[in-house]
């Protein structure tokens, strides 16, 4: 199994998941050029997976279907995604060209956002989640359509996936997210290590992704809203203890929305 992060637009990744025969699932193609370039070197798209309706995640789908007219396009049940050939929701299993993925509803960034989870056995079990703009490395997406409670529930759900699940999100935001996370939890040694690792990867021209669910639980403040250090940081901003975990998350997200490193 081969997993490629194809850089696109300014900071997007289009994910390509392929087997030995180069038959590939393409996730969130906002730009056709990287996929066409990979195809010129042997990649053969057999399906497209879309996590949400934003154009930087779906914009190239018509062009790719023009090149490969028969490939299915899986997407959430959302009328704003006209290019879908199959609308899928929570609990659905997708079967395409030997791949099986579970659909997880993860609203918050948008009301219909979904993620795709793959668990594949063999000599070792591979686990991958394509999280779109819900869960980022060291961060989460803005709440354009959902509520803090929805997004917190979505992130909590993703955080329950097995530790070794590789997190394949839609953007290269790790270092900017790290700058914020280190203000929230300045004494988190795992976060310090992850930041140094990410900086070295970017300095070498490499993606910082995928991360893992275990790493995110240790370092991502949006998955750590029950941790004393995060609660203290939010209490300091509010001038009082937060009423509950939803308020902790909501204030953390507001803080990040206005944050400048």
């Amino acid at each position: 199994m081969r997993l490629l992060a194809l850089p696109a637009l300014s900071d997007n990744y289009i994910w390509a998941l392929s087997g030995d025969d180069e038959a590939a699932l393409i996730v969130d193609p906002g730009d056709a050029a990287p996929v066409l370039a990979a195809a010129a070197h042997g990649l053969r798209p057999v399906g497209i997976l879309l996590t949400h309706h934003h154009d930087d995640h779906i914009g190239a789908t018509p062009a790719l279907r023009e090149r490969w007219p028969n490939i299915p396009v899986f997407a959430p049940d959302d009328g704003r995604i006209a290019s879908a050939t199959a609308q899928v929701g929570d609990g659905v299993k997708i079967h395409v060209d030997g791949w099986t993925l579970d659909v997880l509803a993860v609203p918050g960034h948008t009301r219909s956002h979904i993620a795709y989870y793959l668990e594949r056995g063999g000599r070792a079990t591979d686990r991958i989640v394509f999280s779109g703009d819900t869960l980022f490395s060291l961060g989460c997406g803005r709440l354009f359509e959902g509520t803090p409670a929805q997004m917190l529930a979505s992130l909590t759900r993703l955080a329950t996936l097995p530790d070794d699940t590789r997190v394949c999100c839609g953007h290269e935001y790790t270092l900017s997210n790290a700058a914020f996370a280190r203000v929230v939890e300045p004494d988190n040694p795992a976060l310090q290590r992850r930041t140094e690792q990410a900086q070295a990867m970017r300095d070498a021209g490499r993606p910082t992704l995928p991360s893992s669910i275990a790493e995110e639980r240790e370092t991502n403040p949006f998955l750590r809203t029950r941790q004393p250090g995060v609660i203290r940081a939010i209490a300091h901003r509010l001038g009082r203890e937060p009423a509950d975990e939803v308020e902790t998350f909501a204030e953390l997200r507001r803080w990040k929305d206005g944050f400048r490193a």
Side-chain angles (χ1 to χ4, degrees):
M1 187 164 70
R2 186 165 70 131
L3 184 63
L4 295 177
L6 304 176
L9 305 173
S10 62
D11 54 28
N12 283 68
Y13 286 125
I14 300 167
W15 292 95
L17 177 66
S18 62
D20 294 336
D21 62 353
E22 298 291 340
L25 299 179
I26 306 299
V27 184
D28 283 356
D31 181 8
V35 180
L36 296 174
H41 291 88
L43 198 73
R44 181 169 58 86
V46 294
I48 296 174
L49 310 179
L50 306 177
T51 62
H52 64 293
H53 75 277
H54 289 160
D55 193 60
D56 63 322
H57 290 255
I58 71 171
T61 306
L64 297 182
R65 290 207 77 230
E66 185 175 340
R67 171 67 176 79
W68 294 280
N70 297 320
I71 61 173
V73 179
F74 299 93
D77 186 359
D78 191 320
R80 295 169 292 186
I81 307 178
S83 55
T85 65
Q87 294 177 324
V88 293
D90 191 57
V92 169
K93 283 189 179 294
I94 292 172
H95 305 280
V96 55
D97 204 67
W99 300 100
T100 299
L101 300 99
D102 292 294
V103 177
L104 310 176
V106 286
H109 180 65
T110 68
R111 66 174 182 265
S112 62
H113 201 301
I114 58 177
Y116 299 90
Y117 176 66
L118 169 74
E119 184 170 300
R120 192 169 193 177
R123 285 178 295 179
T125 300
D126 275 304
R127 299 180 178 90
I128 297 169
V129 64
F130 296 105
S131 59
D133 285 1
T134 297
L135 174 62
F136 292 130
S137 175
L138 303 182
C140 74
R142 288 178 180 262
L143 275 63
F144 288 124
E145 298 176 4
T147 66
Q150 284 179 315
M151 185 60 120
L152 177 60
S154 294
L155 293 171
T156 300
R157 183 178 195 186
L158 292 174
T160 65
L161 294 174
D163 283 359
D164 61 352
T165 303
R166 287 182 277 177
V167 177
C168 299
C169 58
H171 292 271
E172 180 57 74
Y173 287 165
T174 304
L175 288 177
S176 59
N177 286 340
F180 174 70
R182 291 179 66 184
V183 172
V184 178
E185 280 196 292
D187 300 322
N188 182 336
L191 176 57
Q192 174 69 26
R193 290 191 298 271
R194 173 62 174 148
T195 303
E196 293 170 355
Q197 176 194 56
Q199 185 65 65
M201 289 174 166
R202 296 308 290 155
D203 289 346
R206 295 164 50 203
T208 62
L209 304 169
S211 63
S212 72
I213 288 293
E215 285 180 316
E216 296 305 319
R217 281 201 293 257
E218 289 183 337
T219 58
N220 188 329
F222 294 98
L223 300 189
R224 295 174 59 79
T225 47
R226 296 182 182 180
Q227 295 300 313
V230 175
I231 295 170
R232 280 195 303 271
I234 295 304
H236 180 74
R237 281 182 59 82
L238 292 173
R240 58 172 173 79
E241 290 293 312
D244 53 24
E245 190 178 1
V246 172
E247 185 176 31
T248 298
F249 175 83
E251 184 59 30
L252 189 65
R253 186 60 255 183
R254 278 192 292 269
W255 186 2
K256 178 63 167 65
D257 288 344
F259 180 77
R260 298 294 180 269

